[in-house]
């Protein structure tokens, strides 16, 4: 149900102050803030979270949700843009991706083959099927920015956390 569903959107590692190194102190502080935001959303009535399972914010946030699911009645649905989206990632990221997918309540693959617009299609699908968009966004033009714009046009609530505040 859209009225109890949130979607996640956010930057890839290259736009995050800690890059791939999530053991850095600034990333740990960021994760604590994201957890608080999720707990607030759950308290607000969000029961389902849609994740695009991209590198960076999506996977980091989904791992936080998997932890929260141990103590909260929530569902995590992976909205995968295409089969093998992870094929060009580092081996460690591919393994992390597959582990996270395994623990999601549901995995929905939108198309078989990669196309230049498959990520955008995924983002629109998520926005169309939720009422809240939780975004990791630095304010600069990007796919995340486009997703937020689309969410605003649809009248979705938007909660932005700027990773630049955690430098």
């Amino acid at each position: 149900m859209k009225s109890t569903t949130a979607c996640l959107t956010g930057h890839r590692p290259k736009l995050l102050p800690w890059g791939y190194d999530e053991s850095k102190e600034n990333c740990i502080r960021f994760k604590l803030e994201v957890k608080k935001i999720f707990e607030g959303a759950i308290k607000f009535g969000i029961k389902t979270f849609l994740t695009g399972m991209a590198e960076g914010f999506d996977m980091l946030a989904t791992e936080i949700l998997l932890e929260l699911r141990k103590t909260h009645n929530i569902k995590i649905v992976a909205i995968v843009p295409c089969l093998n989206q992870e094929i060009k990632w580092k081996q460690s990221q591919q393994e992390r991706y597959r582990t996270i997918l395994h623990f999601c309540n549901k995995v929905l693959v939108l198309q078989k083959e990669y196309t230049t617009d498959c990520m955008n299609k995924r983002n629109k699908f998520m926005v169309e099927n939720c009422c809240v968009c939780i975004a990791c966004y630095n304010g600069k033009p990007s796919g995340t920015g486009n997703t937020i714009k689309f969410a605003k046009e649809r009248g979705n609530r938007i909660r932005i956390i700027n990773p630049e505040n955690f430098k």
Side-chain angles (χ1 to χ4, degrees):
M1 296 203 32
K2 286 191 331 186
S3 64
T4 59
T5 301
C7 76
L8 311 178
T9 186
H11 295 308
R12 306 301 183 271
K14 69 180 180 176
L15 292 178
L16 299 173
W18 50 86
Y20 284 94
D21 187 357
E22 293 179 18
S23 68
K24 287 185 175 177
E25 190 270 333
N26 57 345
C27 183
I28 292 167
R29 286 188 294 110
F30 177 83
K31 287 179 180 183
L32 289 172
E33 185 64 23
V34 170
K35 182 179 179 186
K36 287 180 193 173
I37 290 168
F38 288 157
E39 289 171 330
I42 293 165
K43 195 173 189 178
F44 175 74
I46 298 300
K47 301 203 178 305
T48 303
F49 291 84
L50 307 178
T51 174
M53 288 299 297
E55 283 188 296
F57 177 72
D58 290 10
M59 292 202 311
L60 172 155
T62 304
E63 287 172 332
I64 294 168
L65 288 169
L66 288 169
E67 272 304 304
L68 287 171
R69 191 176 65 186
K70 294 175 182 176
T71 55
H72 296 81
N73 185 22
I74 59 171
K75 291 183 181 171
I76 304 163
V77 180
I79 309 298
V80 178
C82 62
L83 287 175
N84 301 316
Q85 85 160 328
E86 79 286 6
I87 202 74
K88 294 182 180 179
W89 300 351
K90 297 177 190 175
Q91 185 63 36
S92 61
Q93 288 292 93
Q94 290 182 33
E95 291 169 11
R96 180 182 186 190
Y97 171 82
R98 292 180 188 124
T99 299
I100 296 169
L101 278 183
H102 175 76
F103 288 106
C104 287
N105 294 91
K106 184 176 182 180
V107 177
L108 178 61
V109 179
L110 298 182
Q111 58 188 59
K112 289 181 181 180
E113 303 290 327
Y114 172 84
T115 57
T116 55
D117 64 343
C118 70
M119 305 299 173
N120 192 42
K121 286 179 182 177
R122 178 219 33 223
N123 296 342
K124 283 189 172 190
F125 178 91
M126 290 194 306
V127 167
E128 290 170 345
N129 288 282
C130 74
C131 68
V132 176
C133 180
I134 300 171
C136 169
Y137 181 55
N138 64 11
K140 297 176 183 160
S142 63
T144 300
N146 293 339
T147 303
I148 291 168
K149 181 180 180 224
F150 185 58
K152 284 180 181 175
E153 290 169 0
R154 295 198 45 89
N156 293 21
R157 287 191 171 120
I158 300 165
R159 177 61 167 94
I160 296 172
I161 182 170
N162 187 341
E164 296 298 314
N165 295 340
F166 295 83
K167 281 193 168 182

